[in-house]
Amino acid sequence: MLCCVSQYPIRIYGDPVLKQPTQVVDDIDASIAKLAADMIEVMHKAPGVGLAANQIGISKRMFVYDIGAGAKVVINPEITESDGQWTYEEGCLSVPGLYWPIVRPKRVHLEGLDLDGNRVSVDAEDLEARVFQHELDHLNGVLLVQRLDEDQLREAKRELRRIAVGRR
Ligand code: ZN
């Protein structure tokens, strides 16, 4: 059931690496560029609109995304502002096949670095803002299921158990 590309299967709900906050990237060197390229490949093959490094087991603070305008990489990202409110049916490659309506801010401002070490500064809204918030959660060790309300979680428990057991 795992999606496998080269040596990087996507880590699934229940894997401890998904719960650990990732490490800040100190040196943006060739290994980081290679990792970003591999992450983009995994994301596209899944397919998904975003992927955090710890979703392939690498505990580094970086993510890739592609909402239809080409793949981009953001290193050491931070959300510095957010506002509004938007409910969106959100899923996650690490919680495959399950989606929930999740309320989050509609707009965010994201800061980070690109592969050349240049500053990235993006005002995002709707899907792009949603992806940024979702990937930032991953990098902080937070999974989508931690965003569920009590009713959603109660309903989801059996499915989540199935996913966590199925991966062993
Ligand atoms: Zn996810």
Side-chain angles (χ1 to χ4, degrees):
M1 75 173 269
L2 289 180
C3 156
C4 296
V5 178
S6 64
Q7 73 271 47
Y8 289 129
I10 293 177
R11 302 304 179 93
I12 302 299
Y13 174 79
D15 191 314
V17 76
L18 294 169
K19 288 187 177 170
Q20 291 158 9
T22 50
Q23 303 288 311
V24 166
V25 176
D26 292 322
D27 279 319
I28 304 176
D29 56 16
S31 73
I32 294 296
K34 171 75 167 69
L35 175 60
D38 287 342
M39 286 168 63
I40 288 168
E41 188 187 349
V42 171
M43 171 180 70
H44 280 154
K45 283 198 178 162
V49 292
L51 186 80
N54 49 338
Q55 285 185 279
I56 54 168
I58 311 290
S59 193
K60 289 193 187 300
R61 194 169 177 85
M62 58 188 281
F63 73 86
V64 297
Y65 72 104
D66 186 346
I67 57 166
K72 296 196 176 78
V73 183
V74 189
I75 296 162
N76 299 338
E78 296 291 344
I79 288 174
T80 56
E81 285 171 53
S82 61
D83 72 279
Q85 189 175 300
W86 185 43
T87 304
Y88 177 76
E89 194 82 5
E90 196 172 324
C92 176
L93 294 174
S94 295
V95 192
L98 300 179
Y99 299 84
W100 296 277
I102 307 285
V103 184
R104 294 190 195 251
K106 184 177 172 65
R107 287 173 292 274
V108 300
H109 184 80
L110 182 86
E111 298 272 340
L113 298 171
D114 68 14
L115 282 176
D116 297 316
N118 296 319
R119 187 166 161 246
V120 170
S121 178
V122 189
D123 282 313
E125 62 179 1
D126 298 332
L127 182 61
E128 187 175 49
R130 179 63 58 132
V131 171
F132 289 170
Q133 293 173 83
H134 183 106
E135 302 313 327
L136 261 285
D137 271 0
H138 273 305
L139 297 177
N140 292 329
V142 174
L143 265 180
L144 178 59
V145 298
Q146 288 162 261
R147 297 286 179 195
L148 301 184
D149 65 31
E150 268 182 45
D151 288 343
Q152 288 172 321
L153 191 57
R154 204 176 308 119
E155 265 183 39
K157 279 249 163 88
R158 188 187 302 172
E159 287 298 301
L160 290 170
R161 218 165 12 240
R162 186 181 58 73
I163 287 174
V165 169
R167 59 169 287 277
R168 285 193 199 118

